[in-house]
Amino acid sequence: MYENTGEKIRELRKQTGMSQAFLANKICSQSEISRIERGLNEPSYQMLWAISKKFDVDINYFFDEHSTEREDYFQEVKELLEEARRDRDYSLIEEIVDQESKNPLLQKGHRHKYLKWHKAMTVYHLHKDAAGAVSLFMDCLSNGDLDLLITELDMNVLNSIGIIKRNEGELKEAVYYLEKALRILKRMASLKKERIVRKVYYNLSKVHSDLGEYKLSAGYCEKGLALCLSEEDMFLFAEFHYQLGRNLLLLGDEEEGLRYWGKTRTIIELQQKNNLLKFIESEIENYRETGMIK
C-alpha cells in the first residue's frame, strides 16, 4: 500500500501550491509530513484519509499508480463487470477477469484487488468452492485487520463474504461480516450515498429474517427505504418493500404485510421486471390461499 505514497503526497502538494505546514495543520506535525514525503515514515490510515480530504482526492489515489489513461481504461473494465454482475452473468465475469489478468495496467494495487474480487465470485458461483472464494475475498481487503478497513471495495468484499456465509447456512458469520462492512460506513461519511450501503442493509435484513429476528430485519429494510427516498434512487426499492412486507407477515401483521407486497408489485410493474412480477404475484396468491410464506 505505502509504495510511493510519500512521492504522491509531495507531488499533489506541489501541484496545489500547498506548504508542508498547511498540509500538516490539524493532521500531524510538519516534520512528520516531511518524513512521509521522504519515505522515512508510513502514514496511518487515519492520517492518509485526512490528507486525501485536504487534497480533495479519493483515498484510492494513494493505493496504486495513477494516470488519466489508465483510470479511463479501468473505468471501462469496471462498467463491463458491473453490467455482468447485474445480469448475474458469472461466465462473462470469468472471461473478463481472465483476459484482464494479463493486462499489466491492472496488476497492482486497487485495480488488481478489484479484479480478484470478481474472480472470487466466479469461484463460488461457477465452481461451487465456498472456502476458496472466501480466501480470495480476504486477499482483496486493504488490511488484514478488519477493524482498519476503510474503502468502498472493502465494503463490497465483506458484503460478498456475508452473502456466501448466508447461502452456506452460516448465519452468525454472515452477520459478523456484514456488520463489519457497516462499521466502515461509520468511519467513511463519503460512502453514505453509495449503493453498497443499501446492499449491506438488504443482506442484513435477509440474514436476520433467516434467524427469526423479524423486527431487526424490518429495521434494516426501513433504513434502506429511507436511503432510496433521500437519494431519489430506485435501486433495491422494490426489494426492500418485499422484504419488509415479508417480515410484517411473519410478525403477524397481515394487513400491513400485504400492503407492502402490493406496493412491491406496483413498483416492479413500473420497472417492467416481468420475472420478478411473476414471483411476487405467485407469493401473494400462495399466501392468500394457504396463509404460508415460502
Side-chain angles (χ1 to χ4, degrees):
M1 167 189 166
Y2 294 107
E3 183 181 0
N4 296 322
T5 301
E7 293 176 13
K8 290 181 179 181
I9 291 172
R10 184 172 62 248
E11 176 187 343
L12 276 176
R13 188 174 58 76
K14 289 183 176 179
Q15 287 176 355
T16 57
M18 193 181 297
S19 68
Q20 286 185 343
F22 186 88
L23 175 59
N25 185 38
K26 296 184 179 180
I27 297 177
C28 60
S29 66
Q30 179 179 344
S31 60
E32 179 71 7
I33 293 294
S34 176
R35 286 193 292 270
I36 290 170
E37 289 188 353
R38 287 181 288 154
L40 301 178
N41 283 12
E42 297 177 346
S44 67
Y45 281 92
Q46 292 82 359
M47 189 184 300
L48 197 57
W49 170 245
I51 289 171
S52 72
K53 297 303 288 183
K54 211 156 203 179
F55 284 126
D56 195 26
V57 298
D58 191 298
I59 192 171
N60 289 314
Y61 173 88
F62 297 105
F63 281 71
D64 55 5
E65 292 184 10
H66 180 84
S67 74
T68 301
E69 182 181 350
R70 292 176 179 179
E71 194 60 31
D72 287 347
Y73 181 84
F74 179 54
Q75 288 302 319
E76 291 181 15
V77 173
K78 283 183 70 174
E79 288 172 8
L80 288 173
L81 288 170
E82 286 169 5
E83 183 176 353
R85 283 205 318 271
R86 284 195 300 271
D87 295 337
R88 292 181 171 83
D89 190 344
Y90 297 105
S91 294
L92 178 57
I93 289 174
E94 186 171 55
E95 181 181 340
I96 295 170
V97 170
D98 287 347
Q99 176 180 321
E100 296 303 330
S101 65
K102 305 179 184 71
N103 187 337
L105 296 179
L106 306 181
Q107 291 307 298
K108 295 199 300 183
H110 174 75
R111 300 183 187 107
H112 180 63
K113 290 178 183 292
Y114 186 83
L115 284 182
K116 186 178 285 190
W117 172 42
H118 287 81
K119 178 66 175 178
M121 294 179 202
T122 67
V123 168
Y124 180 68
H125 291 285
L126 293 182
H127 306 294
K128 313 304 179 186
D129 182 358
V134 170
S135 178
L136 277 175
F137 280 136
M138 296 299 287
D139 288 343
C140 298
L141 297 173
S142 63
N143 196 294
D145 186 340
L146 301 191
D147 290 322
L148 295 178
L149 299 176
I150 55 172
T151 70
E152 182 182 351
L153 179 59
D154 289 332
M155 286 190 72
N156 273 299
V157 170
L158 292 174
N159 181 64
S160 295
I161 296 173
I163 290 171
I164 289 180
K165 294 297 183 181
R166 176 180 180 257
N167 290 346
E168 297 299 310
E170 300 171 21
L171 302 181
K172 292 294 185 181
E173 287 196 48
V175 171
Y176 171 80
Y177 285 105
L178 292 167
E179 287 184 345
K180 286 288 186 184
L182 288 187
R183 288 194 181 94
I184 299 173
L185 169 65
K186 291 178 181 178
R187 291 196 295 272
M188 303 281 288
S190 64
L191 294 179
K192 287 185 177 180
K193 295 183 179 181
E194 300 297 335
R195 287 183 168 186
I196 177 57
V197 180
R198 273 175 271 170
K199 291 180 187 178
V200 175
Y201 281 154
Y202 183 59
N203 286 312
L204 272 169
S205 76
K206 292 198 290 186
V207 175
H208 283 298
S209 188
D210 291 345
L211 288 166
E213 298 166 346
Y214 306 126
K215 288 185 178 180
L216 189 54
S217 176
Y220 281 114
C221 293
E222 289 167 352
K223 288 181 179 180
L225 285 172
L227 286 178
C228 291
L229 293 171
S230 66
E231 297 302 320
E232 299 182 348
D233 184 355
M234 296 284 281
F235 178 69
L236 293 181
F237 195 56
E239 288 83 350
F240 280 124
H241 274 85
Y242 169 78
Q243 185 69 9
L244 182 53
R246 187 172 187 274
N247 282 307
L248 290 168
L249 290 170
L250 289 166
L251 287 166
D253 191 343
E254 183 176 277
E255 182 179 351
E256 275 296 283
L258 288 175
R259 187 171 73 86
Y260 270 96
W261 273 10
K263 286 184 176 182
T264 306
R265 179 170 54 192
T266 300
I267 295 164
I268 291 172
E269 283 177 336
L270 291 171
Q271 293 176 326
Q272 299 182 343
K273 296 181 178 179
N274 294 328
N275 289 334
L276 282 177
L277 183 59
K278 291 177 182 177
F279 170 78
I280 187 62
E281 288 178 340
S282 173
E283 286 281 282
I284 293 172
E285 181 180 355
N286 175 73
Y287 182 81
R288 291 190 185 280
E289 290 180 355
T290 68
M292 303 290 291
I293 298 175
K294 295 179 183 179

